[in-house]
Amino acid sequence: MDIVPSGPGFGAELRGVTLADVAGDDEVYSAVRAAFEEYSVLVFRDQEVTDEIQLAFSRRFGPPEVTKVGSQGTGSHFVILSTIGPDGKVVPPDHRLSLRSKANQLWHTDSSFKSVPALTSILSARIIPARGGETEYVSTRLAFERLDPAVRSKIERSFAWHDYAHSRGQIAPDLASPEERSALPPQCWRMVWKNPVNGRGAIYLASHAYAVEGMQAADGKKLIDELMEFATAPGTSYLHQWRRGDVVMWDNRATMHRGRPWPAHEPRLMVRTTISATAADGLATMRPPSSQAAE
């Protein structure tokens, strides 16, 4: 396996390895897991991807999420990210599928709005537009390390509230359905996630974050906005240009990402599996003290 760095201080393409290799070989998995902890974003090119292979690969990293209510793929381990309607045609720009794609163009980390957040997401390209539709990543670990020490110390002790309805409301008031709002109540997480393997911290925020525990609403929103802007500053991102057969996985504890727009008339189909974080991934340290005591 060759590791070829791809981003500004993070991200790497892994060559000479397939998803099936990782699924079936302990030594290959160990090498890929080490690269994941180090580089945060891993790219696999020219993969023969099926749902079965993607899920077997994903399970290596932990328990797969069950897709939430309201998403394509509900009840399965797959999230279908598509602008193709049941009739096989691309849906219009005001269709719910298009609006959800637009919501994914906000900077975020997956599943911070869930009661168990995500360790990693694995995304495979099945149908891609001729141009556009890239995915852009930033390292919130490197952003944390760039912060003034006093700010680092402050946010290490702070907790932010995350809500799915908050991010969707930035696109359309009713984009989060009543069923989604009921199933996904707000969650509170520490604003810095420390990797238990290497001890490095990362800012843990997303477009889902709307308030800081113990701060006035305006002050908390200002802090979140400033940290989001700092973490996504120009020149700090890796832009992945998708090719059919690409698979990209990323560390939701240490990155944010966003989709980029593409011509509305062109189809795009991506399939994502998402792995829940566990105690081994540092999850227990992320809960507010009252929640930790309850456990």
Side-chain angles (χ1 to χ4, degrees):
M1 184 179 81
D2 293 323
I3 300 175
V4 182
S6 55
F10 74 103
E13 180 181 340
L14 301 190
R15 297 177 180 172
V17 63
T18 68
L19 303 192
D21 293 336
V22 178
D25 189 298
D26 290 345
E27 288 189 12
V28 176
Y29 162 73
S30 294
V32 170
R33 181 62 189 244
F36 170 78
E37 302 287 3
E38 174 67 22
Y39 292 96
S40 301
V41 177
L42 300 181
V43 176
F44 303 81
R45 297 277 197 186
D46 303 317
Q47 299 293 307
E48 296 290 335
V49 186
T50 64
D51 289 352
E52 292 74 22
I53 289 174
Q54 182 167 339
L55 184 57
F57 170 88
S58 302
R59 286 184 186 277
R60 272 294 202 167
F61 296 86
E65 283 187 2
V66 174
T67 301
K68 69 171 186 62
V69 64
S71 293
Q72 288 186 285
T74 298
S76 74
H77 292 306
F78 301 97
V79 177
I80 311 303
L81 302 168
S82 173
T83 56
I84 304 169
D87 60 358
K89 298 179 180 178
V90 177
V91 298
D94 60 349
H95 191 282
R96 202 170 193 84
L97 292 180
S98 292
L99 293 175
R100 288 181 180 274
S101 293
K102 190 174 180 181
N104 286 331
Q105 293 171 26
L106 301 171
W107 284 111
H108 65 285
T109 189
D110 292 332
S111 300
S112 70
F113 53 82
K114 293 186 176 180
S115 59
V116 180
L119 166 66
T120 183
S121 300
I122 297 99
L123 187 62
S124 62
R126 308 296 179 92
I127 299 173
I128 55 174
R131 58 188 176 86
E134 306 91 350
T135 304
E136 189 173 12
Y137 300 89
V138 292
S139 170
T140 56
R141 175 191 293 170
L142 295 179
F144 177 71
E145 293 169 353
R146 293 196 306 268
L147 283 171
D148 180 271
V151 179
R152 285 204 301 267
S153 179
K154 175 182 179 178
I155 66 172
E156 280 182 316
R157 304 189 304 271
S158 299
F159 295 81
W161 286 91
H162 299 244
D163 185 9
Y164 178 79
H166 171 74
S167 62
R168 269 43 194 170
Q170 296 175 52
I171 303 301
D174 62 347
L175 189 53
S177 68
E179 293 78 14
E180 287 173 315
R181 290 171 184 266
S182 176
L184 300 166
Q187 302 293 327
C188 190
W189 302 113
R190 189 180 297 278
M191 293 175 70
V192 175
W193 196 317
K194 284 202 172 178
N195 184 314
V197 172
N198 53 38
R200 297 175 72 183
I203 299 169
Y204 189 68
L205 284 177
S207 58
H208 313 302
Y210 67 94
V212 177
E213 180 69 15
M215 292 183 70
Q216 293 290 329
D219 294 336
K221 180 69 163 54
K222 182 173 181 286
L223 177 60
I224 289 170
D225 289 346
E226 288 175 347
L227 289 169
M228 292 283 288
E229 184 177 358
F230 183 82
T232 60
T236 63
S237 71
Y238 163 64
L239 187 69
H240 184 71
Q241 309 271 358
W242 289 96
R243 301 196 310 234
R244 185 180 173 87
D246 280 0
V247 176
V248 180
M249 70 179 299
W250 59 89
D251 189 342
N252 284 296
R253 305 168 300 174
T255 62
M256 284 193 293
H257 64 282
R258 65 178 179 179
R260 303 301 294 148
W262 67 93
H265 66 279
E266 292 196 37
R268 185 174 185 265
L269 171 61
M270 315 290 280
V271 177
R272 194 185 82 212
T273 41
T274 310
I275 300 303
S276 296
T278 67
D281 307 312
L283 177 58
T285 67
M286 293 299 293
R287 302 186 189 278
S290 58
S291 299
Q292 295 176 21
E295 292 179 355

